[in-house]
Amino acid sequence: MTIPSRVRIFEVGARDGLQNEKQMVPSDIKVELIERLVDAGVTAIETGSFVSPKWVPQMADTADVMAKLSRRKGVTYAVLTPNMKGYEGAIASGADEIEIFSAAAEMFNKRNINCSIAESLERFVPVTEAAKAAGIPYRASISCALGSPFDEEVTLETIADVAKKLYDMGAYEVSIGDTIGVGTPIRTKQVIEAVANVIPLDVIGVHFHDTYGQALANYLAALEMGISKLDSSVAGLGGCPYAPGATGNVATEDVVYMLEGMGIDSGLDLKKLVKIAWFISDYLGRPPVSSVARALKDKVG
Ligand code: HMG
Ligand code: MG
């Protein structure tokens, strides 16, 4: 398998990135973040989630964010939906696509969406049927594919089984999530191989958090397997409120720096990304965790 010459970055900073922030971020800041990311070349972006505001208060204003956004043609504005209520909110807000999500780890799934893996897949049947009928594309993600924050084993069989079921439900992409950032390159390859045995390689995406500093190495492992759909979060923002200890997603600017060094086109403007990383980090009152954002801070004007 050859390394792709072009990849699609799915920017998750405004959703996965901010969902864990305790301090409420005003919708105007979220809108500015999203619009600036689009201006930096992002063509697929998560703008928020239609989940219970009791479970994730930071995402309670997603409809407001969607209403305030100036949308650009050719850009996919996506939201996360856990059930039919979330789907209805997504459609009412004018989202271009939705993301459904399950996990490869039972205890995590229960903590995250209050049901078993099997129940979550059943819950998504009406959601995917409604989306199909409305012509709304959906992607799917599998959390904890490289490990769970709880005391439970994550097997290749379970990951592959969940991936196949989500793909059979019509997801155009199945994203392998390392929710707590514990994966390492060889295991990453094993997981991708197990999933690629049951669904086409070109629908597999990767969504790695960087808790243990392994995400770039794991993205390289994924690229070497021919994966070209990568999720990342500007400034390395992120974490899952229901995954204790989980920190940010890998930073978009770190990924783009690595891709540029490898001659892989992402369509994203690194200088603009660095400025955006500092914009949102200054707002949050702490420096970006991204090494590239810190290294390039004074060089991007
Ligand atoms: P539940 O309590 O079992 O739900 O939560 P319920 O159906 O019994 O409803 C309870 C209440 O929630 C009701 O309101 C519902 O109307 C309301 P009440 O009558 O009590 O006033 N409700 C909703 N409100 C707004 N939007 C909705 C919705 N659904 C029900 N969609 C539920 C189940 C799924 C709702 C809850 O567990 C939840 O919202 N979980 C979301 C957790 C979450 O967002 N986690 C982070 C995202 S996942 C992630 O970050 C991982 C990822 O990045 C990949 C990776 O890193 O690997 C994707
Ligand atoms: Mg995540």
Coordinates of all heavy atoms in Angstrom, one line a residue, residues 15-16 19 46 49-56 80 82-87 99 101 108 111-114 123 141-144 176-180 207 209 239-242 249, ligand 1:
R15 N -16.0 21.1 18.1 CA -16.8 20.1 18.8 C -16.0 19.3 19.8 O -16.0 19.6 21.0 CB -17.5 19.2 17.7 CG -18.7 18.4 18.3 CD -18.3 17.1 19.0 NE -17.4 16.2 18.3 CZ -16.8 15.1 18.8 NH1 -17.0 14.8 20.1 NH2 -16.1 14.3 18.1
D16 N -15.2 18.4 19.3 CA -14.4 17.5 20.2 C -13.5 18.4 21.0 O -13.2 18.2 22.2 CB -13.6 16.5 19.4 CG -13.3 15.3 20.2 OD1 -13.5 15.3 21.4 OD2 -12.8 14.3 19.6
Q19 N -15.7 20.6 23.6 CA -16.8 20.0 24.4 C -16.4 19.8 25.8 O -17.2 19.7 26.7 CB -17.2 18.7 23.8 CG -16.2 17.6 23.8 CD -16.7 16.3 23.2 OE1 -17.7 16.2 22.5 NE2 -15.9 15.2 23.4
E46 N -16.5 19.8 12.0 CA -17.6 19.6 13.0 C -17.8 20.9 13.7 O -16.9 21.5 14.3 CB -17.1 18.6 14.1 CG -17.5 17.2 13.8 CD -17.1 16.2 14.9 OE1 -16.2 16.6 15.8 OE2 -17.7 15.2 15.0
S49 N -22.4 19.5 18.5 CA -23.2 18.3 18.7 C -24.5 18.6 19.2 O -24.7 19.5 20.0 CB -22.4 17.3 19.5 OG -22.1 17.8 20.8
F50 N -25.5 17.7 18.8 CA -26.8 17.8 19.3 C -27.0 16.6 20.3 O -27.6 15.6 20.0 CB -27.9 17.8 18.2 CG -27.9 19.1 17.5 CD1 -27.2 19.3 16.4 CD2 -28.7 20.1 18.0 CE1 -27.2 20.5 15.7 CE2 -28.8 21.4 17.4 CZ -28.0 21.6 16.2
V51 N -26.4 16.8 21.5 CA -26.4 15.8 22.6 C -27.2 16.5 23.7 O -27.5 17.6 23.6 CB -25.0 15.3 23.0 CG1 -24.3 14.7 21.8 CG2 -24.1 16.5 23.5
S52 N -27.4 15.7 24.8 CA -28.1 16.3 25.9 C -27.3 17.4 26.5 O -26.1 17.2 26.9 CB -28.3 15.2 27.0 OG -28.6 15.8 28.2
P53 N -27.9 18.6 26.7 CA -27.1 19.7 27.3 C -26.8 19.4 28.8 O -25.9 20.0 29.3 CB -28.1 20.9 27.2 CG -29.4 20.3 27.0 CD -29.2 19.0 26.3
K54 N -27.5 18.4 29.4 CA -27.1 18.1 30.8 C -25.8 17.3 30.8 O -25.1 17.3 31.7 CB -28.3 17.2 31.4 CG -29.5 18.1 31.8 CD -30.5 17.2 32.5 CE -31.8 18.0 32.5 NZ -33.0 17.2 32.3
W55 N -25.6 16.5 29.7 CA -24.4 15.7 29.6 C -23.2 16.5 29.2 O -22.1 16.3 29.6 CB -24.6 14.5 28.7 CG -25.5 13.4 29.3 CD1 -26.8 13.6 29.6 CD2 -25.2 12.1 29.5 NE1 -27.3 12.4 30.1 CE2 -26.3 11.4 30.1 CE3 -24.0 11.3 29.4 CZ2 -26.3 10.1 30.5 CZ3 -24.0 10.0 29.7 CH2 -25.1 9.4 30.3
V56 N -23.4 17.4 28.2 CA -22.3 18.2 27.6 C -22.8 19.6 27.5 O -23.2 20.1 26.4 CB -21.8 17.6 26.3 CG1 -20.5 18.3 25.8 CG2 -21.5 16.1 26.4
L80 N -22.5 16.1 15.5 CA -22.6 14.8 16.1 C -24.0 14.6 16.7 O -24.5 15.5 17.3 CB -21.6 14.8 17.3 CG -21.1 13.5 17.9 CD1 -20.1 12.9 16.9 CD2 -20.4 13.8 19.2
P82 N -26.4 11.7 18.8 CA -26.5 10.4 19.5 C -27.8 9.6 19.3 O -27.8 8.4 19.6 CB -26.3 10.8 20.9 CG -27.0 12.1 21.0 CD -26.8 12.8 19.7
N83 N -28.8 10.3 18.8 CA -30.1 9.6 18.7 C -31.1 10.4 17.8 O -30.6 11.4 17.2 CB -30.8 9.5 20.2 CG -30.8 10.8 20.9 OD1 -30.7 11.9 20.3 ND2 -30.8 10.8 22.2
M84 N -32.4 10.1 17.8 CA -33.3 10.8 16.9 C -33.5 12.2 17.3 O -33.6 13.1 16.4 CB -34.7 10.1 16.9 CG -34.8 9.0 15.9 SD -34.3 9.4 14.2 CE -35.6 10.3 13.5
K85 N -33.5 12.5 18.6 CA -33.7 13.9 19.0 C -32.5 14.7 18.5 O -32.7 15.8 18.0 CB -33.7 13.9 20.6 CG -34.1 15.3 21.1 CD -34.4 15.3 22.5 CE -34.6 16.7 23.0 NZ -35.7 17.1 23.6
G86 N -31.3 14.2 18.6 CA -30.1 14.8 18.0 C -30.2 15.0 16.5 O -29.9 16.1 16.0
Y87 N -30.7 14.0 15.9 CA -30.9 14.1 14.4 C -31.8 15.2 14.0 O -31.5 16.0 13.1 CB -31.4 12.7 13.9 CG -31.7 12.8 12.4 CD1 -30.7 12.8 11.4 CD2 -33.0 12.9 12.0 CE1 -31.0 12.9 10.1 CE2 -33.3 13.0 10.6 CZ -32.3 13.0 9.7 OH -32.6 13.1 8.3
E99 N -22.8 12.8 12.3 CA -21.9 11.7 12.7 C -22.6 10.9 13.8 O -23.0 11.5 14.8 CB -20.5 12.3 13.2 CG -19.6 11.2 13.7 CD -18.2 11.6 13.9 OE1 -17.8 12.6 13.3 OE2 -17.5 10.9 14.7
F101 N -22.1 7.7 16.5 CA -20.9 7.2 17.2 C -21.2 6.1 18.2 O -22.2 6.1 19.0 CB -20.2 8.3 17.9 CG -21.0 9.1 18.9 CD1 -20.8 9.1 20.2 CD2 -22.0 10.0 18.4 CE1 -21.5 9.9 21.1 CE2 -22.7 10.8 19.2 CZ -22.5 10.7 20.6
F108 N -17.2 2.1 28.5 CA -17.1 3.5 28.0 C -18.4 3.9 27.3 O -18.9 5.0 27.6 CB -15.9 3.7 27.0 CG -16.0 5.0 26.3 CD1 -15.5 6.1 27.0 CD2 -16.5 5.2 25.1 CE1 -15.6 7.4 26.4 CE2 -16.6 6.4 24.5 CZ -16.2 7.5 25.1
R111 N -21.0 4.8 29.8 CA -20.7 6.1 30.4 C -21.0 7.3 29.5 O -21.5 8.3 29.8 CB -19.3 6.2 30.9 CG -18.8 5.3 31.9 CD -19.3 5.8 33.3 NE -18.8 4.8 34.3 CZ -17.7 5.0 35.1 NH1 -17.1 6.2 35.0 NH2 -17.3 4.1 35.9
N112 N -20.7 7.0 28.2 CA -20.7 8.1 27.2 C -22.2 8.4 26.7 O -22.6 9.5 26.6 CB -19.8 7.8 26.0 CG -19.5 9.0 25.2 OD1 -19.4 10.1 25.7 ND2 -19.4 8.8 23.9
I113 N -22.9 7.3 26.4 CA -24.2 7.5 25.8 C -25.3 6.7 26.5 O -26.4 6.5 26.0 CB -24.2 7.4 24.3 CG1 -23.6 6.1 23.8 CG2 -23.6 8.6 23.6 CD1 -23.7 5.9 22.2
N114 N -24.9 6.1 27.7 CA -25.9 5.5 28.6 C -26.6 4.3 27.9 O -27.8 4.1 28.2 CB -26.9 6.6 29.0 CG -27.6 6.2 30.3 OD1 -27.1 5.4 31.1 ND2 -28.8 6.7 30.6
R123 N -30.2 2.1 18.2 CA -30.7 3.5 18.3 C -30.3 4.2 17.0 O -31.0 5.2 16.7 CB -29.9 4.1 19.5 CG -30.6 5.2 20.1 CD -29.7 5.8 21.2 NE -30.1 5.2 22.5 CZ -29.5 5.5 23.7 NH1 -28.5 6.4 23.7 NH2 -29.8 5.0 24.8
S141 N -18.3 6.9 14.0 CA -17.0 6.7 14.7 C -17.1 5.7 15.8 O -18.1 5.4 16.3 CB -16.4 8.1 15.2 OG -17.0 8.3 16.4
I142 N -15.9 5.0 16.0 CA -15.8 4.0 17.0 C -14.8 4.4 18.0 O -13.6 4.5 17.8 CB -15.3 2.7 16.4 CG1 -16.1 2.3 15.1 CG2 -15.2 1.5 17.4 CD1 -15.5 1.1 14.4
S143 N -15.4 4.8 19.2 CA -14.5 5.3 20.3 C -13.8 4.1 20.9 O -14.2 2.9 20.9 CB -15.4 6.0 21.3 OG -15.9 7.1 20.8
C144 N -12.7 4.4 21.5 CA -11.9 3.5 22.4 C -11.4 2.3 21.6 O -11.2 1.2 22.1 CB -12.7 3.0 23.6 SG -13.1 4.3 24.7
I176 N -11.9 5.4 13.1 CA -11.3 4.6 14.2 C -10.8 5.6 15.3 O -9.9 6.4 15.0 CB -10.2 3.7 13.7 CG1 -10.7 2.7 12.8 CG2 -9.5 3.1 14.9 CD1 -9.6 1.9 12.1
G177 N -11.5 5.6 16.4 CA -11.1 6.6 17.4 C -10.2 6.1 18.5 O -10.5 5.0 19.1
D178 N -9.1 6.8 18.8 CA -8.3 6.5 19.9 C -8.7 7.6 20.9 O -8.0 8.6 21.1 CB -6.8 6.5 19.6 CG -6.0 6.1 20.8 OD1 -6.6 5.8 21.9 OD2 -4.7 6.2 20.7
T179 N -9.8 7.4 21.6 CA -10.4 8.4 22.5 C -9.5 8.9 23.6 O -9.5 10.1 24.0 CB -11.7 7.8 23.1 OG1 -12.4 7.1 22.1 CG2 -12.6 8.9 23.6
I180 N -8.7 8.0 24.1 CA -7.8 8.3 25.2 C -6.4 8.3 24.9 O -5.5 8.4 25.7 CB -8.1 7.4 26.4 CG1 -7.9 5.9 26.0 CG2 -9.5 7.6 27.0 CD1 -7.8 5.0 27.2
H207 N -9.0 9.0 14.0 CA -9.3 10.1 14.9 C -8.6 9.8 16.2 O -9.1 9.1 17.1 CB -10.9 10.1 15.1 CG -11.4 11.0 16.2 ND1 -12.1 12.2 15.9 CD2 -11.3 11.0 17.5 CE1 -12.4 12.8 17.0 NE2 -11.9 12.1 18.0
H209 N -6.5 10.9 19.6 CA -6.1 11.9 20.6 C -4.7 11.7 21.0 O -4.1 10.6 20.7 CB -7.0 11.7 21.9 CG -8.5 12.2 21.6 ND1 -9.0 13.3 22.3 CD2 -9.4 11.7 20.8 CE1 -10.2 13.5 21.8 NE2 -10.5 12.5 20.9
G239 N -10.9 16.5 24.3 CA -11.0 15.5 25.3 C -12.4 15.1 25.4 O -13.3 15.8 24.8
C240 N -12.7 14.0 26.0 CA -14.1 13.5 26.1 C -14.5 13.6 27.5 O -13.8 13.0 28.4 CB -14.2 12.1 25.5 SG -15.9 11.4 25.8
P241 N -15.6 14.3 27.9 CA -15.9 14.4 29.3 C -16.2 13.0 29.9 O -16.2 12.9 31.2 CB -17.2 15.2 29.2 CG -17.4 15.6 27.8 CD -16.5 14.9 26.9
Y242 N -16.5 12.0 29.1 CA -16.8 10.7 29.7 C -15.6 9.7 29.6 O -15.8 8.5 29.8 CB -18.1 10.1 29.1 CG -19.2 11.1 29.6 CD1 -19.7 12.1 28.7 CD2 -19.7 11.0 30.9 CE1 -20.6 13.0 29.2 CE2 -20.6 11.9 31.3 CZ -21.1 12.9 30.5 OH -22.0 13.8 30.9
N249 N -7.2 16.2 21.0 CA -6.9 15.5 19.8 C -5.6 16.0 19.3 O -5.1 17.0 19.7 CB -7.9 15.9 18.7 CG -9.4 15.6 19.1 OD1 -9.9 16.1 20.0 ND2 -9.9 14.6 18.4
Ligands
HMG1 P1 -30.1 9.5 28.5 O1 -30.2 10.3 29.8 O2 -30.1 8.0 28.5 O3 -31.3 10.0 27.5 O4 -28.9 10.1 27.7 P2 -32.8 9.9 27.5 O5 -33.3 9.5 26.2 O6 -33.3 9.0 28.7 O7 -33.3 11.4 27.8 C1 -33.0 12.1 29.0 C2 -33.1 13.6 28.8 O8 -32.2 14.0 27.8 C3 -34.5 14.0 28.2 O9 -34.7 15.3 28.7 C4 -34.3 14.0 26.8 O10 -35.2 14.9 26.1 C5 -32.9 14.6 26.7 P3 -35.6 15.5 30.0 O11 -37.0 14.9 29.8 O12 -34.9 14.8 31.2 O13 -35.6 17.0 30.2 N1 -32.2 14.3 25.4 C6 -31.6 15.2 24.6 N2 -31.5 16.5 24.7 C7 -30.8 17.1 23.6 N3 -30.3 16.5 22.6 C8 -30.4 15.1 22.5 C9 -31.1 14.4 23.5 N4 -31.3 13.1 23.7 C10 -32.0 13.1 24.9 N5 -29.9 14.5 21.4 C11 -27.8 10.6 25.6 C12 -28.5 9.6 26.4 C13 -27.3 10.0 24.4 C14 -28.8 11.8 25.3 C15 -26.7 11.2 26.5 O14 -26.0 10.1 27.0 C16 -25.8 12.1 25.8 O15 -26.1 13.2 25.3 N6 -24.5 11.7 25.6 C17 -23.6 12.5 24.8 C18 -22.2 12.4 25.4 C19 -21.2 13.1 24.5 O16 -21.6 14.0 23.7 N7 -20.0 12.7 24.6 C20 -18.9 13.2 23.8 C21 -19.0 12.9 22.4 S1 -18.3 11.4 21.9 C22 -16.6 11.7 21.7 O17 -16.2 12.7 22.0 C23 -15.8 10.6 21.0 C24 -15.4 10.9 19.6 O18 -14.7 12.2 19.5 C25 -14.6 9.8 19.0 C26 -13.3 9.5 19.8 O19 -12.6 10.4 20.3 O20 -13.0 8.3 19.8 C27 -16.7 11.0 18.7

